[in-house]
């Protein structure tokens, strides 16, 4: 008779084997990132926990598979229909200045993304503050939004899936540039 397996995750996390052929996982409130490390599940998931764009013109990496589906829109310039209500999303911010032109480019890997951008003090009304949206890239295709800021403020960048009924999510790079 074989002895029962005694699981032990001491010092282990995420995909590490607990000794019984089962991954250890992460503590409550954390998720396993692509590198197999437990990270705060809320980072980048909402406008109040948004990632900050710190370097223009440098591709930034993310993965909406580890987020929740918090946002979507009904109406936004550049899109003919509502997007994102059924998909996981992440949010990024950058401070913009009136008269300056910006381009935001999203490159998803293996999934159909939607990109939308607002300039506002907060994210309470995406539809009325949206400056642009794009969902023309299909699976793994780039999405780009370009606009000139009409006022100083915070640009909230939403990396979302195109679908309102199923979860479209995955890894991506995001690049923000001034022109």
């Amino acid at each position: 008779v074989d002895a029962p397996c005694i699981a032990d995750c001491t010092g282990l996390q995420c995909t590490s084997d607990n000794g019984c052929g089962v991954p250890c996982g992460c503590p409550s409130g954390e998720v396993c990132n692509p590198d197999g490390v437990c990270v705060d599940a809320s980072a980048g998931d909402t406008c109040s926990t948004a990632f900050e764009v710190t370097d223009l013109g440098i591709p930034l990496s993310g993965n909406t598979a580890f987020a929740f589906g918090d946002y979507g829109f009904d109406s936004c310039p550049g899109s003919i229909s509502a997007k994102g209500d059924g998909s996981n999303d992440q949010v990024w911010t950058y401070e913009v200045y009136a008269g300056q032109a910006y381009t935001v480019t999203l490159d998803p890997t293996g999934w159909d993304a939607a990109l939308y951008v607002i300039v506002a003090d907060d994210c309470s009304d995406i539809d009325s503050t949206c400056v642009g949206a794009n969902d023309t890239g299909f699976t793994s295709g780039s999405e780009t939004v370009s606009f000139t800021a009409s006022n100083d403020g915070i640009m909230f960048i939403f990396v979302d899936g195109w679908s309102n009924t199923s979860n479209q999510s995955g890894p991506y790079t995001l690049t923000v540039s001034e022109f």
Side-chain angles (χ1 to χ4, degrees):
V1 173
D2 290 330
C5 182
I6 299 172
D8 183 11
C9 285
T10 305
L12 302 175
Q13 61 180 352
C14 283
T15 58
S16 298
D17 187 319
N18 69 0
C20 298
V22 177
C24 287
C26 294
S28 179
E30 294 184 356
V31 294
C32 194
N33 76 8
D35 297 322
V37 176
C38 294
V39 296
D40 181 357
S42 66
D45 190 51
T46 65
C47 291
S48 62
T49 63
F51 296 120
E52 184 178 351
V53 174
T54 55
D55 295 311
L56 294 176
I58 305 295
L60 305 164
S61 296
N63 193 330
T64 59
F66 305 110
F68 299 98
D70 302 297
Y71 301 103
F73 68 86
D74 292 321
S75 175
C76 189
S79 180
I80 59 171
S81 63
K83 302 286 181 193
D85 284 328
S87 297
N88 294 355
D89 46 56
Q90 288 185 325
V91 185
W92 294 76
T93 61
Y94 185 74
E95 189 169 353
V96 298
Y97 299 96
Q100 179 64 55
Y102 299 91
T103 295
V104 180
T105 303
L106 170 63
D107 290 303
T109 302
W111 59 287
D112 191 355
L115 171 68
Y116 46 105
V117 177
I118 69 171
V119 175
D121 294 327
D122 61 41
C123 297
S124 61
D125 190 1
I126 291 172
D127 289 350
S128 70
T129 57
C130 194
V131 296
N134 191 270
D135 174 36
T136 57
F138 301 103
T139 300
S140 294
S142 293
E143 312 291 355
T144 300
V145 171
S146 296
F147 70 99
T148 300
S150 59
N151 55 288
D152 293 355
I154 302 297
M155 170 174 44
F156 291 91
I157 303 162
F158 296 86
V159 176
D160 208 340
W162 71 272
S163 181
N164 288 321
T165 58
S166 66
N167 185 19
Q168 296 288 314
S169 60
Y172 65 88
T173 59
L174 180 77
T175 307
V176 178
S177 304
E178 293 179 345
F179 66 95

